[in-house]
Every structure is written in C-alpha cells, then in structure tokens.
C-alpha cells in the first residue's frame, strides 16, 4: 500500500508541474500568435492557399508545417483545469488510501 501511495504522491507532483507548464505553453502560444513576423507568415500561407497561385515548394512546405502546428496546438488542453482536477482526484485517492490501509 505504501508503494502505491508513494507512486501517487510522485504523480501528484508531476501533475502540479504539468499545470504550470500548460500555463507557460499557452502564454508562449499567445505570444507567437501576436508576433508580427509569424502573422505575416500565416497571411502569406493563407493567401497562397486561397488563390491557388503557381506552385511554390517553399510555400507548400510552409502551409503544411503551419497546418501541422495548428493541428497539434488543438490537441493541448487550453488551460490547467484538467490538471487541477486530476491533482484533486489524486489527493483524494491518497487520503482515502492513507485512511483505509486495510484495503
């Protein structure tokens, strides 16, 4: 039982770190989205895609990388709410196990 509690405590610490890392990730994502050069690249890629201009290897590659970037961003939780809820659930589980060692 002590081994499980120890592992849950380690998991709890990792989830706390996850929450702060998610906040940092979203802060940096907001910064890059406000970056003038990055906005220019987005506009250039969108214009290229919408006008179906003459084939351009660089712009094709840029569009693919930007699409991949945006798709992957969508996979990241938008805030630390899920991490906070997991953190709370872990603490409750630890408390339960500590108080009911006969399980």
């Amino acid at each position: 039982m002590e081994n499980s509690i120890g592992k849950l405590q380690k998991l709890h610490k990792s989830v706390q770190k996850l929450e702060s890392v998610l906040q940092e990730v979203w802060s940096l994502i907001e910064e890059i989205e406000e970056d003038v050069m990055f906005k220019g690249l987005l506009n250039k890629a969108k214009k290229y895609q919408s006008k179906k201009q003459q084939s351009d290897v660089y712009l094709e590659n840029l569009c693919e990388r930007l699409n991949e970037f945006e798709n992957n961003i969508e996979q990241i939780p938008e805030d630390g709410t899920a991490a906070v809820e997991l953190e709370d659930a872990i603490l409750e589980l630890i408390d339960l196990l500590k108080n009911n060692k006969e399980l």
Side-chain angles (χ1 to χ4, degrees), residues 24-90:
E24 180 182 1
V25 165
W26 282 104
S27 176
L28 292 170
I29 287 171
E30 287 174 8
E31 283 183 34
I32 194 69
E33 288 175 344
E34 294 300 317
D35 182 80
V36 174
M37 186 179 141
F38 189 76
K39 281 183 177 181
L41 287 174
L42 285 174
N43 289 334
K44 190 173 189 173
K46 286 178 185 178
K47 193 180 286 187
Y48 175 77
Q49 286 179 321
S50 68
K51 291 187 177 182
K52 298 292 181 192
Q53 300 171 355
Q54 181 179 354
S55 183
D56 182 318
V57 175
Y58 169 76
L59 289 173
E60 288 288 332
N61 197 17
L62 175 64
C63 291
E64 286 178 31
R65 297 294 77 77
L66 288 171
N67 286 336
E68 184 178 349
F69 177 76
E70 289 177 3
N71 289 337
N72 285 316
I73 285 176
E74 292 174 5
Q75 302 299 316
I76 300 172
E78 288 194 27
D79 59 26
T81 303
V84 170
E85 290 173 1
L86 178 57
E87 181 184 351
D88 291 344
I90 293 167

Side-chain angles (χ1 to χ4, degrees), residues 5-19:
I5 291 172
K7 288 178 182 179
L8 285 167
Q9 288 170 331
K10 283 183 180 180
L11 177 60
H12 178 258
K13 287 180 184 179
S14 292
V15 171
Q16 286 176 321
K17 292 175 189 174
L18 174 63
E19 180 184 357

